Amino acid sequence: MATSARRDACPAIKNLLLLDSEGRRVAVKYYTDEWPTNAAKLAFERSIFAKTLKTNARTEAEIVMFENNVVLYKFIQDLHLFVTGGDNENELALASVLQGFSEAVTLLLRGNVDQREALENLDMMFLCLDEIVDAGMILETDGSLIAGKVATHSIDDGAPLSEQYLVRPL
Amino acid sequence: MAQYVKKDDDRDEEAEYSPFSGIEKGAVLQEARVFNDPQLDSRRCSQVITKLLYLLNQGDSFTKTEATEVFFSVTKLFQAKDIGLRRMVYLIIKELSPCADEVIIVTSSLMKDMNSKTDVYRANAIRVLCRITDGTLLTQIERYLKQAIVDKNPVVASAALVSGIHLLQTNPEIVKRWSNEVQEAVQSRAALVQFHALALLQQIRQNDRLAVSKLVTSLTKGTVRSPLAQCLLIRYTSQVIRESSNSQTGDRPFYDYLEGCLRHKAEMVIFEAARAITELSGVTSRELTPAITVLQLFLSSSKPVLRFAAVRTLNKVAMTHPMAVTTCNIDMESLISDQNRSIATLAITTLLKTGNESGVDRLMKQITNFMSDIADEFKIVVVDAIRSLCLKFPLKFRTLMGFLSNILREEGGFEYKKAIVDSIVTIIRDIPDAKESGLLHLCEFIEDCEFTYLSTQILHFLGIEGPKTSDPSKFIRYIYNRVILENPTVRASAVSTLAKFGAMVDSLKPRIFVLLRRCLYDNDDEVRDRATLYLNTIGGDGSVVETDKDVKEFLFGSFDLPLANLETSLKNYEPSEEPFNVSSVPREVKSQPYAEKKAAAKKPTGLSAPPAGPTSTADSYEKLLLSIPEFSNFGQLFKSSAPVELTEAETEYAVNVVKHIFDKHIVFQYNCTNTIPEQLLEDVTILVDASEAEEFEELATKPLKSLPYDTPGQTFVAFEKLQGVPAVGKFSNVLRFIVKEVDTSTGEAEEDGVEDEYQLEEFEVVSADYMLKVGVSNFRNAWDNLGEDFERVDEYGLGPRDSLKEAVSAVINLLGMQPCEGTEVVAGNSRSHTCLLSGVYVGNVKVLVRLSFGVDNAKEVAMKLAVRSEDEAVSDAIHELVAN
């Protein structure tokens, strides 16, 4: 998918990363071919993690220029969240995506935002990424709406009672 | 691929628990069999899908068979009624990206979900189906997608719109049919639906400027609620402004809208508008002020993102409008200590651009503290900014050069050091006062430089600049130290530098010779060879004598031969009595695929096929022509035409002609290319029949000795004509040559050739060839200055034309004059047009032309031609030109 870098095009997201406090993947999603192989993706994650590790991105989202990309990031407990966009992207539009991402994760993990909880609810993390960005296009930026869409666990009509359950611990 | 690479990251963690520790692909694939159970356990299935997704997310890949197997069993899960499970099914289908055959299997299930009452199903089924489908299926589901776009559930509408944006890349003709529905969705109350609809609508209409303009006009008046949609609208508005900025009259359209957005409640929109204003082409300071004001407020925000965005934009503005940004200087200075080093670097470089001369010293002090704690990449940015600052305030070079030399001594990588060295070199070149100190800084640097590339570059530069200083001898110590201490590459270039000092500074010569003689015992061949060469060429026995000019030119002059050609010629040179002659090396910058044996016999010719730019070629043409003895007394070249092709494309021989006009002569330069690998052409000449050009008399021809395959060559024919007379005529041409067969495997040509001819097309010398395109900056003044004395006015009918535009450009080409003040551009559907032209006619007569065009309903174009010139005859000649 050719995502044009031109400014009159839509804001495009290049990737969303959810890493743990050692820089390991919890859940990641890439939307461009800029990092074609898994090795290239890992290298990007490692370097952006190392570059941002010493900064304080807990109260406010932080921002850094990295390899001709703008990367916004925020740390919650031992989770590191990243949103990458092109060089020319409106930084505040990217910030709204990061905001939605971190709010949704917080809501979905019911306040216990840490690596273990995220792994235990990994299905929700994957769904969460899926609800924020679709192939680079921003889908939703409101954290509670994202979380709401992920957490609809009601059973559709006509399902037998035996299949119904509410909480699905892994 | 079948081999499993263990991806367990947690194995060395002490007590850290992960639900996925020890997970293995083979085992998970086994587990995936639960998908086939008749009695589905939704929870279990969800877990297995999560594990599969985990593996994929960690970078594991499935083989084709594994993926197919998983895909098929996953399709069974559509029977389950559990929403959570269905969501996971959607997710894994997207991840597996099934092939066309497999897609068919899930199509009906997904289409059923697209019509489900459950919103979540509808939205996700649309996204999945659009992702995996190809064009053929799209026509089947198009109806549902159009419905979905206007669905009252925003999630469903967004899903359809976003899918539309992706599908537009592959199936534009289908998506374009949804225009009406998308238009309706733009009015949606849901913020993100509006954003997605606007994005899709603009992309559908992308190539229709008028439609985009209309869209912008209507929406900027209306209410766009979503901040993201508002940002898009600002971008589209800037695009419309860019495209309509031909007429610079009065207020800029839509500026008020952009300015209004500066008061929007969302920061995202304020910033987008501010940035759009700063990027307007030819923005005035009045337009800029409100944007700078809001950006300045952002600078003191508590949010790093806002500060970063603002300082980055202001940094860009500072490049073009430094004065506008100076109001922010106080805020900028406080940002130097910002926690975020990106922000601090941007603030510093902005200050360097906007600062005044008196503030430089204070600023440099601040930067010195700052440099130690930023990364190399930021340091390079700062170094570049300091270089431009130094060129802006040359008086401050002492402070800035001092700073650069200090950081040069500190630790740093190659790119950083190179940036510093480049900056010092630039400053030395541009500021004469900085030369001595700058060179000494560089000398000190190479005393302890770990980068061979930088050492050799600096030594080379020292060789050029060092001898010109007041006391060249003080550099010798540094240079000779390199000969003692460095690797062979650096030693060799140090020897060259020493030799340059020796050749340029006679008083140093004896001492340099002593040093060079020591180099004769170096253990590297290159170093010894260089020392020997210089000792033997520069001054024989080392006595104080003037070094021969030719020697200097040979050793240190610029070397303008293409190296590849020199290499070929050297390889072909057979040792004999006759020494190798450098001037025999061809100068064409073209690779020669077949070795040419007779290279030595070839005379140096000028540049090959004429490059594009007319002004840059004029010089090279003149040099080329003057270098040919037969033409050297023709005087100054008046004009060279653009090449006229005399052959069709892709014929055996490609020939074009350039007409060179002199005062009393005209020279035709035939550029010939031989496109047959099996042939070598020799004694190439052009037979010109000038029977239809009576005023010309053939004077001389210059044949081309040899024309090998794919190497352009030139042959010339010169004619004489009456002085200052714009003689015209038609010339027909025949290419005559001796053709020799070439064995393509060895590149050798046969001894005997056959004489042959090749008919070329004819060409004309027209009056426009005598017209030089020379523009005037103020046409009205020039027009008035020429006066009415030799004004000639007449009207002409040009007959029916395709468009006014075509008629205008036809007349401009006919006259061969320079359009002034952009009047060659005809507005879209105007019915009349005035075009102003200027030029210099042969004999250096200034000519101005005012053309007024009009077109009627039958597309008949009429033209009024007014000519003013310094010579009555010329004014008449212009009219004759048009009349014919």
mmCIF file of all heavy atoms in Angstrom, chain A residues 138-166:
data_model
loop_
_atom_site.group_PDB
_atom_site.id
_atom_site.type_symbol
_atom_site.label_atom_id
_atom_site.label_comp_id
_atom_site.label_asym_id
_atom_site.label_seq_id
_atom_site.Cartn_x
_atom_site.Cartn_y
_atom_site.Cartn_z
ATOM 1 N N ILE A 138 -6.118 6.392 10.228
ATOM 2 C CA ILE A 138 -6.622 6.508 11.596
ATOM 3 C C ILE A 138 -8.102 6.133 11.617
ATOM 4 O O ILE A 138 -8.902 6.690 10.868
ATOM 5 C CB ILE A 138 -6.455 7.947 12.120
ATOM 6 C CG1 ILE A 138 -4.983 8.348 12.102
ATOM 7 C CG2 ILE A 138 -7.032 8.073 13.523
ATOM 8 C CD1 ILE A 138 -4.757 9.815 12.392
ATOM 9 N N LEU A 139 -8.435 5.163 12.465
ATOM 10 C CA LEU A 139 -9.817 4.684 12.496
ATOM 11 C C LEU A 139 -10.588 5.332 13.630
ATOM 12 O O LEU A 139 -11.731 5.738 13.477
ATOM 13 C CB LEU A 139 -9.792 3.159 12.678
ATOM 14 C CG LEU A 139 -10.953 2.350 12.160
ATOM 15 C CD1 LEU A 139 -11.221 2.669 10.700
ATOM 16 C CD2 LEU A 139 -10.638 0.863 12.290
ATOM 17 N N GLU A 140 -9.984 5.433 14.776
ATOM 18 C CA GLU A 140 -10.651 6.024 15.939
ATOM 19 C C GLU A 140 -9.587 6.548 16.888
ATOM 20 O O GLU A 140 -8.532 5.926 17.048
ATOM 21 C CB GLU A 140 -11.512 4.962 16.626
ATOM 22 C CG GLU A 140 -12.269 5.452 17.837
ATOM 23 C CD GLU A 140 -13.184 6.644 17.522
ATOM 24 O OE1 GLU A 140 -14.253 6.441 16.918
ATOM 25 O OE2 GLU A 140 -12.802 7.775 17.874
ATOM 26 N N THR A 141 -9.848 7.704 17.513
ATOM 27 C CA THR A 141 -8.853 8.255 18.435
ATOM 28 C C THR A 141 -9.410 8.434 19.836
ATOM 29 O O THR A 141 -8.696 8.857 20.727
ATOM 30 C CB THR A 141 -8.361 9.634 17.947
ATOM 31 O OG1 THR A 141 -9.494 10.484 17.808
ATOM 32 C CG2 THR A 141 -7.639 9.540 16.629
ATOM 33 N N ASP A 142 -10.659 8.114 20.022
ATOM 34 C CA ASP A 142 -11.263 8.274 21.344
ATOM 35 C C ASP A 142 -11.061 6.995 22.138
ATOM 36 O O ASP A 142 -11.586 5.935 21.782
ATOM 37 C CB ASP A 142 -12.755 8.585 21.174
ATOM 38 C CG ASP A 142 -13.434 8.819 22.513
ATOM 39 O OD1 ASP A 142 -13.165 8.053 23.465
ATOM 40 O OD2 ASP A 142 -14.242 9.759 22.608
ATOM 41 N N GLY A 143 -10.273 7.096 23.228
ATOM 42 C CA GLY A 143 -9.904 5.919 24.003
ATOM 43 C C GLY A 143 -11.084 5.098 24.471
ATOM 44 O O GLY A 143 -11.077 3.874 24.356
ATOM 45 N N SER A 144 -12.133 5.763 24.976
ATOM 46 C CA SER A 144 -13.248 4.995 25.516
ATOM 47 C C SER A 144 -14.026 4.305 24.398
ATOM 48 O O SER A 144 -14.523 3.188 24.574
ATOM 49 C CB SER A 144 -14.158 5.898 26.351
ATOM 50 O OG SER A 144 -14.584 6.983 25.576
ATOM 51 N N LEU A 145 -14.118 4.959 23.237
ATOM 52 C CA LEU A 145 -14.788 4.303 22.114
ATOM 53 C C LEU A 145 -14.007 3.085 21.639
ATOM 54 O O LEU A 145 -14.582 2.037 21.331
ATOM 55 C CB LEU A 145 -14.976 5.283 20.946
ATOM 56 C CG LEU A 145 -16.056 6.352 21.111
ATOM 57 C CD1 LEU A 145 -16.100 7.266 19.899
ATOM 58 C CD2 LEU A 145 -17.417 5.701 21.340
ATOM 59 N N ILE A 146 -12.679 3.228 21.596
ATOM 60 C CA ILE A 146 -11.841 2.097 21.177
ATOM 61 C C ILE A 146 -12.039 0.933 22.145
ATOM 62 O O ILE A 146 -12.324 -0.197 21.747
ATOM 63 C CB ILE A 146 -10.350 2.496 21.133
ATOM 64 C CG1 ILE A 146 -10.122 3.597 20.102
ATOM 65 C CG2 ILE A 146 -9.476 1.292 20.820
ATOM 66 C CD1 ILE A 146 -8.775 4.282 20.207
ATOM 67 N N ALA A 147 -11.910 1.250 23.423
ATOM 68 C CA ALA A 147 -12.055 0.199 24.440
ATOM 69 C C ALA A 147 -13.444 -0.416 24.359
ATOM 70 O O ALA A 147 -13.609 -1.632 24.476
ATOM 71 C CB ALA A 147 -11.808 0.780 25.827
ATOM 72 N N GLY A 148 -14.450 0.427 24.134
ATOM 73 C CA GLY A 148 -15.824 -0.071 24.023
ATOM 74 C C GLY A 148 -15.969 -1.062 22.889
ATOM 75 O O GLY A 148 -16.603 -2.107 23.032
ATOM 76 N N LYS A 149 -15.340 -0.739 21.767
ATOM 77 C CA LYS A 149 -15.451 -1.637 20.611
ATOM 78 C C LYS A 149 -14.737 -2.956 20.872
ATOM 79 O O LYS A 149 -15.183 -4.002 20.440
ATOM 80 C CB LYS A 149 -14.842 -0.960 19.373
ATOM 81 C CG LYS A 149 -15.731 0.116 18.790
ATOM 82 C CD LYS A 149 -15.346 0.385 17.340
ATOM 83 C CE LYS A 149 -14.442 1.574 17.234
ATOM 84 N NZ LYS A 149 -14.015 1.794 15.836
ATOM 85 N N VAL A 150 -13.624 -2.878 21.578
ATOM 86 C CA VAL A 150 -12.873 -4.102 21.848
ATOM 87 C C VAL A 150 -13.616 -4.989 22.836
ATOM 88 O O VAL A 150 -13.651 -6.206 22.701
ATOM 89 C CB VAL A 150 -11.470 -3.754 22.410
ATOM 90 C CG1 VAL A 150 -10.751 -5.005 22.873
ATOM 91 C CG2 VAL A 150 -10.662 -3.022 21.358
ATOM 92 N N ALA A 151 -14.250 -4.362 23.806
ATOM 93 C CA ALA A 151 -14.780 -5.128 24.931
ATOM 94 C C ALA A 151 -16.211 -5.600 24.737
ATOM 95 O O ALA A 151 -16.827 -6.060 25.673
ATOM 96 C CB ALA A 151 -14.670 -4.300 26.211
ATOM 97 N N THR A 152 -16.777 -5.476 23.555
ATOM 98 C CA THR A 152 -18.140 -5.986 23.367
ATOM 99 C C THR A 152 -18.110 -7.500 23.349
ATOM 100 O O THR A 152 -17.840 -8.131 22.338
ATOM 101 C CB THR A 152 -18.749 -5.491 22.040
ATOM 102 O OG1 THR A 152 -17.733 -5.567 21.051
ATOM 103 C CG2 THR A 152 -19.308 -4.110 22.167
ATOM 104 N N HIS A 153 -18.368 -8.063 24.518
ATOM 105 C CA HIS A 153 -18.324 -9.514 24.601
ATOM 106 C C HIS A 153 -19.708 -10.116 24.728
ATOM 107 O O HIS A 153 -19.853 -11.246 25.119
ATOM 108 C CB HIS A 153 -17.466 -9.956 25.779
ATOM 109 C CG HIS A 153 -16.012 -9.803 25.476
ATOM 110 N ND1 HIS A 153 -15.489 -10.183 24.277
ATOM 111 C CD2 HIS A 153 -14.993 -9.291 26.193
ATOM 112 C CE1 HIS A 153 -14.196 -9.918 24.272
ATOM 113 N NE2 HIS A 153 -13.875 -9.364 25.424
ATOM 114 N N SER A 154 -20.708 -9.345 24.418
ATOM 115 C CA SER A 154 -22.042 -9.919 24.512
ATOM 116 C C SER A 154 -22.189 -10.972 23.422
ATOM 117 O O SER A 154 -21.431 -11.020 22.473
ATOM 118 C CB SER A 154 -23.080 -8.826 24.334
ATOM 119 O OG SER A 154 -22.866 -8.210 23.092
ATOM 120 N N ILE A 155 -23.139 -11.797 23.605
ATOM 121 C CA ILE A 155 -23.345 -12.913 22.682
ATOM 122 C C ILE A 155 -24.417 -12.484 21.698
ATOM 123 O O ILE A 155 -25.378 -11.813 22.068
ATOM 124 C CB ILE A 155 -23.833 -14.136 23.478
ATOM 125 C CG1 ILE A 155 -22.795 -14.504 24.524
ATOM 126 C CG2 ILE A 155 -24.133 -15.292 22.547
ATOM 127 C CD1 ILE A 155 -21.453 -14.876 23.966
ATOM 128 N N ASP A 156 -24.233 -12.808 20.443
ATOM 129 C CA ASP A 156 -25.274 -12.392 19.507
ATOM 130 C C ASP A 156 -26.522 -13.242 19.686
ATOM 131 O O ASP A 156 -26.511 -14.281 20.330
ATOM 132 C CB ASP A 156 -24.742 -12.344 18.075
ATOM 133 C CG ASP A 156 -24.600 -13.712 17.446
ATOM 134 O OD1 ASP A 156 -24.942 -14.694 18.109
ATOM 135 O OD2 ASP A 156 -24.146 -13.775 16.298
ATOM 136 N N ASP A 157 -27.599 -12.733 19.105
ATOM 137 C CA ASP A 157 -28.900 -13.397 19.308
ATOM 138 C C ASP A 157 -28.824 -14.850 18.858
ATOM 139 O O ASP A 157 -28.078 -15.202 17.979
ATOM 140 C CB ASP A 157 -29.987 -12.679 18.488
ATOM 141 C CG ASP A 157 -29.809 -11.186 18.564
ATOM 142 O OD1 ASP A 157 -29.312 -10.725 19.609
ATOM 143 O OD2 ASP A 157 -30.121 -10.504 17.568
ATOM 144 N N GLY A 158 -29.615 -15.656 19.481
ATOM 145 C CA GLY A 158 -29.724 -17.036 19.021
ATOM 146 C C GLY A 158 -28.590 -17.933 19.442
ATOM 147 O O GLY A 158 -28.498 -19.067 18.995
ATOM 148 N N ALA A 159 -27.687 -17.440 20.294
ATOM 149 C CA ALA A 159 -26.613 -18.310 20.754
ATOM 150 C C ALA A 159 -27.113 -19.129 21.927
ATOM 151 O O ALA A 159 -27.854 -18.625 22.765
ATOM 152 C CB ALA A 159 -25.423 -17.478 21.177
ATOM 153 N N PRO A 160 -26.711 -20.368 21.976
ATOM 154 C CA PRO A 160 -27.158 -21.179 23.117
ATOM 155 C C PRO A 160 -26.541 -20.660 24.413
ATOM 156 O O PRO A 160 -25.465 -20.079 24.412
ATOM 157 C CB PRO A 160 -26.651 -22.580 22.773
ATOM 158 C CG PRO A 160 -25.544 -22.358 21.793
ATOM 159 C CD PRO A 160 -25.894 -21.111 21.048
ATOM 160 N N LEU A 161 -27.298 -20.881 25.500
ATOM 161 C CA LEU A 161 -26.897 -20.351 26.795
ATOM 162 C C LEU A 161 -25.529 -20.884 27.221
ATOM 163 O O LEU A 161 -24.754 -20.201 27.876
ATOM 164 C CB LEU A 161 -27.959 -20.735 27.837
ATOM 165 C CG LEU A 161 -28.149 -19.706 28.941
ATOM 166 C CD1 LEU A 161 -28.673 -18.405 28.352
ATOM 167 C CD2 LEU A 161 -29.089 -20.259 29.990
ATOM 168 N N SER A 162 -25.235 -22.104 26.799
ATOM 169 C CA SER A 162 -23.979 -22.733 27.208
ATOM 170 C C SER A 162 -22.756 -21.954 26.736
ATOM 171 O O SER A 162 -21.683 -22.051 27.308
ATOM 172 C CB SER A 162 -23.918 -24.154 26.669
ATOM 173 O OG SER A 162 -23.899 -24.104 25.254
ATOM 174 N N GLU A 163 -22.909 -21.184 25.652
ATOM 175 C CA GLU A 163 -21.746 -20.465 25.131
ATOM 176 C C GLU A 163 -21.537 -19.120 25.813
ATOM 177 O O GLU A 163 -20.589 -18.414 25.511
ATOM 178 C CB GLU A 163 -21.906 -20.236 23.615
ATOM 179 C CG GLU A 163 -21.522 -21.451 22.806
ATOM 180 C CD GLU A 163 -21.476 -21.147 21.321
ATOM 181 O OE1 GLU A 163 -21.268 -19.978 20.949
ATOM 182 O OE2 GLU A 163 -21.673 -22.090 20.549
ATOM 183 N N GLN A 164 -22.465 -18.745 26.666
ATOM 184 C CA GLN A 164 -22.371 -17.419 27.238
ATOM 185 C C GLN A 164 -21.466 -17.381 28.461
ATOM 186 O O GLN A 164 -21.566 -18.200 29.351
ATOM 187 C CB GLN A 164 -23.773 -16.919 27.635
ATOM 188 C CG GLN A 164 -24.664 -16.759 26.436
ATOM 189 C CD GLN A 164 -25.947 -16.067 26.788
ATOM 190 O OE1 GLN A 164 -26.123 -15.570 27.887
ATOM 191 N NE2 GLN A 164 -26.868 -16.045 25.836
ATOM 192 N N TYR A 165 -20.606 -16.452 28.455
ATOM 193 C CA TYR A 165 -19.797 -16.177 29.631
ATOM 194 C C TYR A 165 -19.344 -14.743 29.507
ATOM 195 O O TYR A 165 -19.369 -14.152 28.433
ATOM 196 C CB TYR A 165 -18.599 -17.119 29.715
ATOM 197 C CG TYR A 165 -17.707 -17.038 28.536
ATOM 198 C CD1 TYR A 165 -16.615 -16.167 28.549
ATOM 199 C CD2 TYR A 165 -17.964 -17.801 27.397
ATOM 200 C CE1 TYR A 165 -15.813 -16.066 27.447
ATOM 201 C CE2 TYR A 165 -17.161 -17.704 26.300
ATOM 202 C CZ TYR A 165 -16.080 -16.832 26.322
ATOM 203 O OH TYR A 165 -15.283 -16.726 25.234
ATOM 204 N N LEU A 166 -18.955 -14.162 30.592
ATOM 205 C CA LEU A 166 -18.676 -12.735 30.543
ATOM 206 C C LEU A 166 -17.189 -12.408 30.560
ATOM 207 O O LEU A 166 -16.685 -11.713 29.704
ATOM 208 C CB LEU A 166 -19.395 -12.027 31.690
ATOM 209 C CG LEU A 166 -20.901 -11.936 31.426
ATOM 210 C CD1 LEU A 166 -21.621 -11.443 32.661
ATOM 211 C CD2 LEU A 166 -21.196 -11.039 30.237
#
